[in-house]
Protein backbone atom coordinates (compact mmCIF):
# COMPACT_ATOMS: atom_id res chain seq x y z
CA UNK A 1 0.00 0.00 0.00
CA UNK A 2 1.30 3.41 -0.97
CA UNK A 3 1.30 5.12 2.42
CA UNK A 4 3.42 2.41 3.97
CA UNK A 5 6.17 2.97 1.40
CA UNK A 6 6.74 6.68 0.95
CA UNK A 7 10.33 6.33 -0.16
CA UNK A 8 9.29 4.21 -3.09
CA UNK A 9 7.56 7.29 -4.42
CA UNK A 10 10.75 9.31 -4.06
CA UNK A 11 12.87 6.63 -5.74
CA UNK A 12 10.45 6.04 -8.57
CA UNK A 13 9.94 9.73 -9.39
CA UNK A 14 13.48 11.00 -8.96
CA UNK A 15 15.39 12.10 -12.07
CA UNK A 16 17.71 9.47 -13.61
CA UNK A 17 20.71 8.67 -11.48
CA UNK A 18 23.97 10.31 -12.43
CA UNK A 19 27.60 9.63 -11.73
CA UNK A 20 28.81 10.71 -8.32
CA UNK A 21 32.03 12.61 -7.80
CA UNK A 22 33.92 13.57 -4.65
CA UNK A 23 32.95 14.62 -2.01
CA UNK A 24 30.92 11.61 -0.99
CA UNK A 25 28.05 13.61 0.51
CA UNK A 26 27.82 17.36 0.78
CA UNK A 27 27.79 18.79 4.30
CA UNK A 28 25.01 21.26 3.57
CA UNK A 29 21.38 20.18 3.38
CA UNK A 30 18.17 21.65 2.02
CA UNK A 31 15.50 20.76 4.55
CA UNK A 32 11.81 21.40 5.00
CA UNK A 33 12.03 22.46 8.63
CA UNK A 34 9.46 21.07 11.00
CA UNK A 35 7.61 19.33 8.17
CA UNK A 36 5.75 16.18 9.12
CA UNK A 37 4.78 14.24 5.98
CA UNK A 38 1.83 11.85 6.02
CA UNK A 39 1.69 11.33 2.24
CA UNK A 40 4.05 12.34 -0.58
CA UNK A 41 3.74 12.51 -4.35
CA UNK A 42 5.98 13.81 -7.15
CA UNK A 43 4.95 15.56 -10.34
CA UNK A 44 5.90 18.50 -12.56
CA UNK A 45 3.05 20.88 -11.66
CA UNK A 46 4.45 23.99 -13.41
CA UNK A 47 5.89 22.27 -16.49
CA UNK A 48 9.49 23.44 -16.06
CA UNK A 49 10.97 19.96 -16.32
CA UNK A 50 11.81 19.72 -12.62
CA UNK A 51 9.94 17.34 -10.28
CA UNK A 52 7.80 19.16 -7.72
CA UNK A 53 6.92 17.73 -4.33
CA UNK A 54 3.36 17.45 -3.02
CA UNK A 55 3.24 16.97 0.74
CA UNK A 56 0.15 16.07 2.78
CA UNK A 57 0.27 16.66 6.52
CA UNK A 58 -2.17 16.05 9.34
CA UNK A 59 -0.56 18.25 11.95
CA UNK A 60 -3.18 20.98 12.11
CA UNK A 61 -5.91 21.58 14.65
CA UNK A 62 -8.79 19.13 14.88
CA UNK A 63 -11.32 18.60 13.42
CA UNK A 64 -9.55 19.71 10.21
CA UNK A 65 -5.86 18.83 10.67
CA UNK A 66 -5.03 18.11 7.02
CA UNK A 67 -3.36 20.25 4.38
CA UNK A 68 -1.54 19.77 1.06
CA UNK A 69 1.44 21.91 0.09
CA UNK A 70 3.25 22.18 -3.24
CA UNK A 71 7.03 22.69 -3.03
CA UNK A 72 8.38 23.60 -6.47
CA UNK A 73 11.49 21.83 -7.70
CA UNK A 74 14.69 23.83 -8.04
CA UNK A 75 18.31 23.11 -8.89
CA UNK A 76 18.80 22.51 -5.16
CA UNK A 77 15.91 20.04 -4.62
CA UNK A 78 12.69 21.97 -3.74
CA UNK A 79 11.74 25.35 -2.41
CA UNK A 80 11.43 25.36 1.39
CA UNK A 81 8.39 27.65 1.17
CA UNK A 82 5.31 26.21 -0.56
CA UNK A 83 4.04 27.72 -3.81
CA UNK A 84 0.52 27.03 -2.59
CA UNK A 85 -1.19 25.32 0.32
CA UNK A 86 -4.61 23.70 0.27
CA UNK A 87 -6.52 23.34 3.50
CA UNK A 88 -7.31 23.01 6.27
CA UNK A 89 -9.30 19.89 5.56
CA UNK A 90 -10.12 16.55 7.13
CA UNK A 91 -7.42 13.97 7.82
CA UNK A 92 -5.63 13.11 4.57
CA UNK A 93 -5.04 9.43 3.82
CA UNK A 94 -3.50 9.38 0.35
CA UNK A 95 -2.36 11.43 -2.67
CA UNK A 96 -2.12 10.53 -6.34
CA UNK A 97 -0.91 12.61 -9.30
CA UNK A 98 -2.38 12.17 -12.77
CA UNK A 99 -3.35 14.09 -15.91
CA UNK A 100 -7.13 14.25 -15.65
CA UNK A 101 -7.75 16.33 -18.77
CA UNK A 102 -4.98 14.78 -20.91
CA UNK A 103 -3.70 18.32 -21.45
CA UNK A 104 -0.16 17.78 -20.15
CA UNK A 105 -0.91 19.45 -16.79
CA UNK A 106 -0.82 17.16 -13.75
CA UNK A 107 -3.70 17.22 -11.27
CA UNK A 108 -3.67 15.97 -7.67
CA UNK A 109 -6.24 13.59 -6.18
CA UNK A 110 -6.60 13.79 -2.40
CA UNK A 111 -8.34 11.13 -0.32
CA UNK A 112 -9.48 12.53 3.02
CA UNK A 113 -11.79 11.37 5.76
CA UNK A 114 -15.27 11.99 4.36
CA UNK A 115 -14.34 13.27 0.90
CA UNK A 116 -12.46 12.72 -2.35
CA UNK A 117 -10.97 15.81 -3.99
CA UNK A 118 -9.05 16.71 -7.14
CA UNK A 119 -6.96 19.88 -7.15
CA UNK A 120 -7.08 20.97 -10.80
CA UNK A 121 -4.08 22.31 -12.69
CA UNK A 122 -5.29 24.76 -15.30
CA UNK A 123 -1.91 25.93 -16.54
CA UNK A 124 -1.15 28.48 -13.85
CA UNK A 125 0.88 28.17 -10.68
CA UNK A 126 -2.17 28.43 -8.43
CA UNK A 127 -4.83 25.74 -8.00
CA UNK A 128 -7.32 26.37 -10.79
CA UNK A 129 -10.40 24.74 -9.31
CA UNK A 130 -11.29 21.95 -6.93
CA UNK A 131 -13.38 18.96 -7.92
CA UNK A 132 -15.27 17.35 -5.03
CA UNK A 133 -16.90 13.94 -5.22
CA UNK A 134 -20.38 13.39 -3.88
CA UNK A 135 -19.00 10.77 -1.54
CA UNK A 136 -18.92 10.89 2.24
CA UNK A 137 -16.78 7.79 2.69
CA UNK A 138 -13.21 7.99 3.90
CA UNK A 139 -10.67 6.82 1.33
CA UNK A 140 -7.57 4.81 2.13
CA UNK A 141 -6.08 4.24 -1.33
CA UNK A 142 -6.52 6.43 -4.41
CA UNK A 143 -5.24 5.67 -7.92
CA UNK A 144 -5.53 7.07 -11.43
CA UNK A 145 -6.44 4.16 -13.76
CA UNK A 146 -8.05 3.94 -17.20
CA UNK A 147 -10.67 1.56 -15.84
CA UNK A 148 -13.04 1.61 -18.83
CA UNK A 149 -10.35 1.56 -21.52
CA UNK A 150 -11.43 4.76 -23.28
CA UNK A 151 -7.97 6.36 -23.20
CA UNK A 152 -8.40 8.77 -20.32
CA UNK A 153 -7.78 8.34 -16.61
CA UNK A 154 -10.49 7.47 -14.10
CA UNK A 155 -10.19 7.89 -10.35
CA UNK A 156 -10.30 4.85 -8.07
CA UNK A 157 -10.56 4.95 -4.29
CA UNK A 158 -10.76 2.20 -1.71
CA UNK A 159 -13.36 3.15 0.89
CA UNK A 160 -12.91 2.43 4.57
CA UNK A 161 -16.45 1.11 4.48
CA UNK A 162 -14.92 -1.80 2.60
CA UNK A 163 -15.64 -1.34 -1.10
CA UNK A 164 -14.08 0.20 -4.21
CA UNK A 165 -15.48 3.38 -5.76
CA UNK A 166 -14.48 4.56 -9.26
CA UNK A 167 -15.30 7.95 -10.72
CA UNK A 168 -15.05 7.69 -14.51
CA UNK A 169 -14.65 10.41 -17.11
CA UNK A 170 -17.78 10.65 -19.27
CA UNK A 171 -15.97 13.37 -21.22
CA UNK A 172 -12.25 14.13 -21.20
CA UNK A 173 -11.45 16.43 -18.30
CA UNK A 174 -14.59 15.82 -16.25
CA UNK A 175 -15.17 13.16 -13.61
CA UNK A 176 -18.54 11.83 -12.52
CA UNK A 177 -19.41 13.45 -9.17
CA UNK A 178 -21.06 10.25 -7.96
CA UNK A 179 -19.12 6.98 -8.17
CA UNK A 180 -19.91 5.42 -11.53
CA UNK A 181 -18.56 2.04 -10.54
CA UNK A 182 -18.66 0.46 -7.09
CA UNK A 183 -18.11 -2.86 -5.39
CA UNK A 184 -19.88 -4.16 -2.28
CA UNK A 185 -18.47 -3.47 1.18
CA UNK A 186 -16.66 -6.76 1.73
CA UNK A 187 -14.04 -6.01 4.35
CA UNK A 188 -11.47 -4.75 1.85
CA UNK A 189 -8.06 -3.85 3.25
CA UNK A 190 -5.98 -3.18 0.11
CA UNK A 191 -6.36 -2.89 -3.65
CA UNK A 192 -4.04 -3.02 -6.63
CA UNK A 193 -4.74 -2.64 -10.34
CA UNK A 194 -3.08 -4.88 -12.90
CA UNK A 195 -3.60 -6.54 -16.27
CA UNK A 196 -3.93 -10.29 -15.76
CA UNK A 197 -5.99 -10.91 -18.90
CA UNK A 198 -5.89 -9.46 -22.42
CA UNK A 199 -4.33 -6.21 -21.19
CA UNK A 200 -7.57 -5.11 -19.51
CA UNK A 201 -7.31 -3.33 -16.12
CA UNK A 202 -8.47 -5.52 -13.25
CA UNK A 203 -8.76 -4.58 -9.57
CA UNK A 204 -7.56 -7.08 -6.98
CA UNK A 205 -9.19 -6.38 -3.63
CA UNK A 206 -7.59 -8.05 -0.61
CA UNK A 207 -10.04 -8.88 2.15
CA UNK A 208 -10.00 -9.46 5.87
CA UNK A 209 -11.07 -13.09 5.40
CA UNK A 210 -7.96 -13.93 3.35
CA UNK A 211 -9.59 -13.95 -0.09
CA UNK A 212 -9.01 -11.72 -3.12
CA UNK A 213 -11.87 -10.35 -5.24
CA UNK A 214 -11.13 -9.56 -8.88
CA UNK A 215 -13.22 -6.86 -10.56
CA UNK A 216 -13.27 -5.64 -14.15
CA UNK A 217 -15.32 -2.94 -15.84
CA UNK A 218 -17.94 -4.25 -18.26
CA UNK A 219 -20.87 -2.33 -19.78
CA UNK A 220 -20.77 0.37 -17.14
CA UNK A 221 -20.38 -1.85 -14.08
CA UNK A 222 -17.59 -3.44 -12.08
CA UNK A 223 -18.14 -7.14 -12.58
CA UNK A 224 -16.82 -9.64 -10.07
CA UNK A 225 -14.75 -11.93 -12.28
CA UNK A 226 -13.95 -14.33 -9.49
CA UNK A 227 -12.98 -14.61 -5.85
CA UNK A 228 -9.58 -16.15 -5.36
CA UNK A 229 -8.78 -18.17 -2.30
CA UNK A 230 -5.38 -17.79 -0.73
CA UNK A 231 -6.02 -20.96 1.24
CA UNK A 232 -5.85 -19.09 4.53
CA UNK A 233 -8.69 -17.46 6.46
CA UNK A 234 -6.54 -14.72 7.99
CA UNK A 235 -6.53 -11.09 6.97
CA UNK A 236 -4.19 -10.08 4.17
CA UNK A 237 -1.62 -7.34 4.63
CA UNK A 238 -1.51 -6.31 0.99
CA UNK A 239 -1.75 -7.62 -2.56
CA UNK A 240 0.30 -6.76 -5.64
CA UNK A 241 0.20 -7.67 -9.34
CA UNK A 242 3.30 -8.77 -11.23
CA UNK A 243 4.13 -11.03 -14.16
CA UNK A 244 5.93 -13.79 -12.32
CA UNK A 245 5.95 -16.35 -15.14
CA UNK A 246 6.87 -13.98 -18.01
CA UNK A 247 3.82 -14.83 -20.09
CA UNK A 248 2.65 -11.23 -20.46
CA UNK A 249 -0.19 -11.59 -17.95
CA UNK A 250 0.04 -10.25 -14.41
CA UNK A 251 -0.02 -12.75 -11.58
CA UNK A 252 -0.71 -12.02 -7.91
CA UNK A 253 1.31 -12.14 -4.72
CA UNK A 254 -0.49 -11.66 -1.41
CA UNK A 255 1.02 -11.28 2.05
CA UNK A 256 -1.00 -12.84 4.85
CA UNK A 257 -0.96 -11.10 8.22
CA UNK A 258 0.98 -13.37 10.58
CA UNK A 259 0.90 -15.98 7.82
CA UNK A 260 2.73 -17.13 4.72
CA UNK A 261 3.21 -15.58 1.33
CA UNK A 262 0.64 -16.69 -1.24
CA UNK A 263 1.25 -16.74 -4.99
CA UNK A 264 -1.48 -17.10 -7.60
CA UNK A 265 -0.65 -17.36 -11.31
CA UNK A 266 -3.00 -16.94 -14.27
CA UNK A 267 -3.07 -18.16 -17.85
CA UNK A 268 -4.43 -14.82 -19.07
CA UNK A 269 -7.81 -16.31 -19.96
CA UNK A 270 -9.37 -16.14 -16.52
CA UNK A 271 -8.05 -19.41 -15.13
CA UNK A 272 -6.07 -19.06 -11.91
CA UNK A 273 -3.95 -21.79 -10.41
CA UNK A 274 -4.44 -22.82 -6.79
CA UNK A 275 -2.57 -20.54 -4.43
CA UNK A 276 0.82 -21.84 -3.43
CA UNK A 277 2.37 -21.15 -0.05
CA UNK A 278 5.97 -20.27 0.54
CA UNK A 279 7.99 -18.86 3.38
CA UNK A 280 7.87 -19.22 7.13
CA UNK A 281 4.55 -18.82 8.96
CA UNK A 282 5.18 -15.21 9.86
CA UNK A 283 4.77 -11.77 8.28
CA UNK A 284 6.53 -11.42 4.93
CA UNK A 285 8.09 -7.96 4.91
CA UNK A 286 10.25 -7.78 1.79
CA UNK A 287 10.23 -9.33 -1.68
CA UNK A 288 12.83 -9.02 -4.45
CA UNK A 289 13.24 -10.66 -7.85
CA UNK A 290 16.49 -11.56 -9.60
CA UNK A 291 17.71 -14.20 -12.04
CA UNK A 292 19.81 -15.90 -9.39
CA UNK A 293 20.40 -19.12 -11.38
CA UNK A 294 21.06 -17.58 -14.81
CA UNK A 295 18.23 -19.30 -16.67
CA UNK A 296 16.52 -16.11 -17.84
CA UNK A 297 13.52 -15.99 -15.52
CA UNK A 298 12.94 -14.29 -12.20
CA UNK A 299 13.42 -16.00 -8.85
CA UNK A 300 12.00 -14.66 -5.61
CA UNK A 301 13.78 -13.72 -2.39
CA UNK A 302 11.67 -13.21 0.71
CA UNK A 303 12.49 -11.51 3.99
CA UNK A 304 10.31 -11.80 7.08
CA UNK A 305 9.63 -9.21 9.72
CA UNK A 306 8.48 -11.86 12.14
CA UNK A 307 11.99 -13.24 12.53
CA UNK A 308 12.00 -16.09 10.00
CA UNK A 309 15.02 -17.12 7.97
CA UNK A 310 15.33 -15.39 4.58
CA UNK A 311 14.51 -17.68 1.68
CA UNK A 312 14.90 -17.95 -2.10
CA UNK A 313 12.26 -19.65 -4.25
CA UNK A 314 13.45 -20.83 -7.65
CA UNK A 315 11.53 -20.16 -10.84
CA UNK A 316 11.41 -23.48 -12.68
CA UNK A 317 10.00 -23.25 -16.17
CA UNK A 318 7.82 -20.20 -15.47
CA UNK A 319 6.49 -21.01 -12.01
CA UNK A 320 7.88 -20.49 -8.55
CA UNK A 321 8.69 -23.62 -6.57
CA UNK A 322 6.56 -23.97 -3.44
CA UNK A 323 9.55 -24.90 -1.30
CA UNK A 324 12.66 -22.74 -0.96
CA UNK A 325 15.78 -23.81 -2.82
CA UNK A 326 17.91 -21.86 -0.35
CA UNK A 327 17.39 -20.81 3.28
CA UNK A 328 19.62 -18.52 5.27
CA UNK A 329 20.64 -19.48 8.79
CA UNK A 330 20.20 -16.00 10.28
CA UNK A 331 16.77 -15.65 11.83
CA UNK A 332 16.39 -11.87 11.85
CA UNK A 333 13.77 -9.16 11.56
CA UNK A 334 14.18 -8.01 7.95
CA UNK A 335 13.16 -4.46 7.08
CA UNK A 336 14.50 -4.24 3.51
CA UNK A 337 15.86 -6.74 1.02
CA UNK A 338 17.55 -6.49 -2.38
CA UNK A 339 19.70 -8.33 -4.88
CA UNK A 340 22.98 -6.65 -5.85
CA UNK A 341 25.83 -7.52 -8.22
CA UNK A 342 28.85 -6.74 -6.06
CA UNK A 343 31.75 -8.80 -7.36
CA UNK A 344 30.81 -10.12 -10.82
CA UNK A 345 30.23 -13.64 -9.49
CA UNK A 346 26.44 -13.67 -9.58
CA UNK A 347 23.88 -11.75 -7.55
CA UNK A 348 24.34 -11.33 -3.82
CA UNK A 349 21.41 -11.19 -1.41
CA UNK A 350 21.60 -8.09 0.77
CA UNK A 351 19.12 -7.20 3.50
CA UNK A 352 18.70 -4.72 6.31
CA UNK A 353 17.71 -5.95 9.76
CA UNK A 354 16.48 -4.51 13.02
CA UNK A 355 19.37 -5.60 15.21
CA UNK A 356 22.14 -7.11 13.08
CA UNK A 357 22.81 -4.41 10.51
CA UNK A 358 22.99 -5.06 6.76
CA UNK A 359 23.82 -8.66 5.96
CA UNK A 360 25.21 -9.99 2.68
CA UNK A 361 25.00 -13.51 1.30
CA UNK A 362 27.56 -13.81 -1.53
CA UNK A 363 26.90 -15.28 -4.97
CA UNK A 364 29.12 -18.10 -6.16
CA UNK A 365 28.75 -18.12 -9.93
CA UNK A 366 24.98 -18.40 -10.26
CA UNK A 367 23.14 -19.21 -7.06
CA UNK A 368 23.88 -18.35 -3.47
CA UNK A 369 26.72 -19.90 -1.56
CA UNK A 370 26.84 -20.39 2.18
CA UNK A 371 23.61 -19.95 4.11
CA UNK A 372 25.54 -17.86 6.62
CA UNK A 373 25.99 -14.16 5.85
CA UNK A 374 29.54 -13.47 4.69
CA UNK A 375 29.65 -9.78 5.50
CA UNK A 376 27.98 -7.48 7.96
CA UNK A 377 28.14 -3.97 6.54
CA UNK A 378 26.84 -2.30 9.67
CA UNK A 379 27.14 -3.36 13.27
CA UNK A 380 24.28 -3.72 15.68
CA UNK A 381 24.25 -0.06 16.74
CA UNK A 382 20.75 1.27 16.07
CA UNK A 383 18.02 -0.32 13.96
CA UNK A 384 18.41 -0.09 10.19
CA UNK A 385 15.32 0.97 8.28
CA UNK A 386 16.41 1.16 4.65
CA UNK A 387 19.25 0.58 2.22
CA UNK A 388 20.07 2.04 -1.22
CA UNK A 389 22.86 1.21 -3.67
CA UNK A 390 24.73 3.59 -5.97
CA UNK A 391 28.20 4.77 -7.01
CA UNK A 392 28.47 7.60 -4.50
CA UNK A 393 32.09 8.59 -5.12
CA UNK A 394 32.33 8.04 -8.88
CA UNK A 395 34.97 5.32 -8.73
CA UNK A 396 32.93 2.82 -10.73
CA UNK A 397 32.32 0.56 -7.72
CA UNK A 398 29.02 0.06 -5.96
CA UNK A 399 28.50 1.76 -2.60
CA UNK A 400 25.68 1.38 -0.11
CA UNK A 401 23.82 4.04 1.88
CA UNK A 402 22.06 2.87 5.05
CA UNK A 403 19.39 4.72 7.02
CA UNK A 404 18.96 4.01 10.71
CA UNK A 405 17.04 4.88 13.82
CA UNK A 406 18.88 5.24 17.11
CA UNK A 407 22.14 5.84 15.23
CA UNK A 408 23.48 8.02 12.43
CA UNK A 409 23.05 7.13 8.75
CA UNK A 410 26.12 5.55 7.16
CA UNK A 411 27.72 4.91 3.77
CA UNK A 412 30.05 2.06 2.82
CA UNK A 413 32.35 1.43 -0.11
CA UNK A 414 32.04 -2.01 -1.71
CA UNK A 415 34.92 -1.50 -4.13
CA UNK A 416 37.03 -4.07 -2.29
CA UNK A 417 34.17 -6.52 -1.66
CA UNK A 418 34.01 -8.82 0.28
CA UNK A 419 36.09 -6.34 2.30
CA UNK A 420 33.81 -3.43 3.22
CA UNK A 421 34.89 0.01 4.42
CA UNK A 422 32.82 2.59 6.28
CA UNK A 423 33.50 5.83 4.33
CA UNK A 424 30.94 8.20 5.88
CA UNK A 425 28.87 8.43 9.04
CA UNK A 426 26.37 11.05 10.12
CA UNK A 427 27.11 12.39 13.56
CA UNK A 428 23.48 12.70 14.65
CA UNK A 429 20.91 9.93 15.20
CA UNK A 430 17.97 11.35 13.22
CA UNK A 431 15.54 8.39 13.27
CA UNK A 432 15.63 7.91 9.50
CA UNK A 433 12.62 6.07 8.07
CA UNK A 434 13.85 5.73 4.49
CA UNK A 435 16.62 6.69 2.04
CA UNK A 436 16.83 7.04 -1.74
CA UNK A 437 19.51 8.15 -4.20
CA UNK A 438 19.05 10.24 -7.33
CA UNK A 439 20.51 13.20 -9.20
CA UNK A 440 17.88 15.60 -7.89
CA UNK A 441 19.54 18.85 -8.98
CA UNK A 442 20.93 17.63 -12.31
CA UNK A 443 24.59 18.22 -11.50
CA UNK A 444 25.72 14.70 -12.39
CA UNK A 445 26.16 13.61 -8.77
CA UNK A 446 23.96 11.37 -6.69
CA UNK A 447 22.03 13.16 -3.96
CA UNK A 448 20.65 11.65 -0.76
CA UNK A 449 16.91 11.92 -0.10
CA UNK A 450 15.94 11.11 3.47
CA UNK A 451 12.63 10.95 5.30
CA UNK A 452 12.70 11.06 9.06
CA UNK A 453 10.26 10.33 11.83
CA UNK A 454 9.13 13.24 13.96
CA UNK A 455 11.95 14.16 16.31
CA UNK A 456 12.14 16.17 19.48
CA UNK A 457 13.46 19.69 19.27
CA UNK A 458 12.36 22.62 17.18
CA UNK A 459 13.51 22.72 13.57
CA UNK A 460 14.70 19.15 13.19
CA UNK A 461 14.28 18.31 9.48
CA UNK A 462 11.85 15.55 8.40
CA UNK A 463 12.64 15.60 4.66
CA UNK A 464 16.26 16.22 3.69
CA UNK A 465 18.29 16.20 0.49
CA UNK A 466 22.07 16.23 0.52
Amino acid sequence: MRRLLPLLLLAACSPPEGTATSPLLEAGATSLLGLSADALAWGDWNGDGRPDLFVATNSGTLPNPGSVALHLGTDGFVESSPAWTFGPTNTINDLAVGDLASDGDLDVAVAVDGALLVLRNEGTLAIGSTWIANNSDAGTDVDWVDVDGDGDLDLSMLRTAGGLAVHVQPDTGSLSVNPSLTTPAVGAVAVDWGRPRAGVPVAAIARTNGSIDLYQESLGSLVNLTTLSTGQAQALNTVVFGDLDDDGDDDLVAAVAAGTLRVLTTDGAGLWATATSMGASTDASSLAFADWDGDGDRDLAVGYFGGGNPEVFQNSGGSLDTSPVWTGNSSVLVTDLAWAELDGGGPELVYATISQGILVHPGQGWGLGSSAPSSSLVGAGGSLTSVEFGDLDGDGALDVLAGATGAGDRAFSLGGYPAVSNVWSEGVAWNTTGVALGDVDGDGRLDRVVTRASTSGIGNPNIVVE
Side-chain angles (χ1 to χ4, degrees), residues 56-85:
T57 65
N58 293 309
S59 57
T61 303
L62 293 174
N64 296 305
S67 65
V68 180
L70 168 66
H71 295 264
L72 293 176
T74 69
D75 290 336
F77 178 46
V78 297
E79 297 283 355
S80 58
S81 298
W84 53 250
T85 300

Side-chain angles (χ1 to χ4, degrees), residues 188-263:
V189 294
V191 62
D192 193 38
W193 288 88
R195 297 177 182 271
R197 48 184 293 174
V200 177
V202 172
I205 302 177
R207 298 174 55 184
T208 54
N209 66 359
S211 64
I212 302 171
D213 287 336
L214 298 186
Y215 282 87
Q216 177 184 317
E217 189 275 339
S218 178
L219 301 176
S221 299
L222 282 176
V223 178
N224 189 346
L225 299 176
T226 188
T227 296
L228 303 176
S229 171
T230 62
Q232 296 189 357
Q234 301 149 256
L236 301 178
N237 283 335
T238 191
V239 62
V240 64
F241 275 109
D243 186 6
L244 302 179
D245 49 11
D246 295 319
D247 63 355
D249 302 307
D250 285 341
D251 310 295
L252 280 170
V253 178
V256 180
T260 60
L261 194 71
R262 311 296 288 178
V263 177

Side-chain angles (χ1 to χ4, degrees), residues 158-191:
L158 184 66
R159 300 180 291 191
T160 53
L164 187 65
V166 179
H167 299 261
V168 302
Q169 293 198 52
D171 300 298
T172 299
S174 65
L175 288 167
S176 57
V177 177
N178 295 310
S180 307
L181 307 169
T182 60
T183 65
V186 290
V189 294
V191 62

Side-chain angles (χ1 to χ4, degrees), residues 7-402:
L7 259 291
L8 291 184
L9 291 173
L10 298 179
C13 300
S14 297
E17 293 188 355
T19 301
T21 57
S22 183
L24 181 64
L25 292 171
E26 294 182 7
T30 300
S31 61
L32 305 182
L33 298 179
L35 186 61
S36 143
D38 292 283
L40 304 175
W42 286 96
D44 185 5
W45 174 271
N46 60 354
D48 66 353
R50 299 185 181 97
D52 306 314
L53 180 63
F54 302 85
V55 181
T57 65
N58 293 309
S59 57
T61 303
L62 293 174
N64 296 305
S67 65
V68 180
L70 168 66
H71 295 264
L72 293 176
T74 69
D75 290 336
F77 178 46
V78 297
E79 297 283 355
S80 58
S81 298
W84 53 250
T85 300
F86 175 83
T89 186
N90 293 356
T91 299
I92 299 174
N93 300 314
D94 202 6
L95 296 176
V97 176
D99 187 358
L100 170 61
S102 301
D103 58 1
D105 295 322
L106 295 180
D107 310 289
V108 185
V110 186
V112 305
D113 283 354
L116 175 61
L117 316 172
V118 176
L119 309 181
R120 298 294 303 270
N121 185 342
E122 297 175 355
T124 65
L125 183 59
I127 299 171
S129 61
T130 302
W131 175 88
I132 304 176
N134 185 15
N135 188 342
S136 60
D137 292 331
T140 59
D141 194 0
V142 61
D143 288 290
W144 292 99
V145 182
D146 183 9
V147 175
D148 52 8
D150 63 355
D152 50 32
L153 294 177
D154 310 303
L155 189 56
S156 165
M157 182 184 74
L158 184 66
R159 300 180 291 191
T160 53
L164 187 65
V166 179
H167 299 261
V168 302
Q169 293 198 52
D171 300 298
T172 299
S174 65
L175 288 167
S176 57
V177 177
N178 295 310
S180 307
L181 307 169
T182 60
T183 65
V186 290
V189 294
V191 62
D192 193 38
W193 288 88
R195 297 177 182 271
R197 48 184 293 174
V200 177
V202 172
I205 302 177
R207 298 174 55 184
T208 54
N209 66 359
S211 64
I212 302 171
D213 287 336
L214 298 186
Y215 282 87
Q216 177 184 317
E217 189 275 339
S218 178
L219 301 176
S221 299
L222 282 176
V223 178
N224 189 346
L225 299 176
T226 188
T227 296
L228 303 176
S229 171
T230 62
Q232 296 189 357
Q234 301 149 256
L236 301 178
N237 283 335
T238 191
V239 62
V240 64
F241 275 109
D243 186 6
L244 302 179
D245 49 11
D246 295 319
D247 63 355
D249 302 307
D250 285 341
D251 310 295
L252 280 170
V253 178
V256 180
T260 60
L261 194 71
R262 311 296 288 178
V263 177
L264 302 96
T265 58
T266 180
D267 64 355
L271 180 64
W272 289 83
T274 301
T276 57
S277 178
M278 53 186 61
S281 294
T282 186
D283 288 338
S285 61
S286 305
L287 307 174
F289 288 97
D291 183 13
W292 88 302
D293 52 9
D295 63 356
D297 51 27
R298 291 174 293 177
D299 310 295
L300 179 66
V302 183
Y304 298 95
F305 192 75
N309 295 319
E311 297 173 321
V312 174
F313 297 86
Q314 193 169 28
N315 193 326
S316 301
S319 63
L320 291 171
D321 295 341
T322 58
S323 299
V325 67
W326 176 91
T327 301
N329 67 358
S330 53
S331 182
V332 292
L333 305 181
V334 176
T335 58
D336 200 7
L337 178 145
W339 293 94
E341 180 61 70
L342 301 180
D343 59 3
E348 283 78 27
L349 182 60
V350 183
Y351 49 96
T353 71
I354 288 293
S355 60
Q356 297 186 30
I358 300 177
L359 303 178
V360 180
H361 290 274
Q364 295 183 354
W366 291 102
L368 290 173
S370 168
S371 59
S374 70
S375 303
S376 178
L377 303 188
V378 184
S383 296
L384 298 179
T385 58
S386 52
V387 59
E388 183 79 354
F389 292 93
D391 183 7
L392 294 172
D393 52 9
D395 64 354
L398 198 62
D399 307 301
V400 60
L401 174 67

Side-chain angles (χ1 to χ4, degrees), residues 24-31 378 381-386 392 400-412 422-436 448-453 455 459-466:
L24 181 64
L25 292 171
E26 294 182 7
T30 300
S31 61
V378 184
S383 296
L384 298 179
T385 58
S386 52
L392 294 172
V400 60
L401 174 67
T405 61
D409 297 348
R410 280 151 280 184
F412 301 85
N422 187 173
V423 294
W424 175 82
S425 296
E426 192 165 29
V428 180
W430 283 113
N431 293 326
T432 296
T433 57
V435 296
R448 178 175 68 130
V449 182
V450 183
T451 59
R452 292 166 175 162
T455 54
N460 285 341
N462 295 91
I463 301 176
V464 172
V465 170
E466 295 178 337

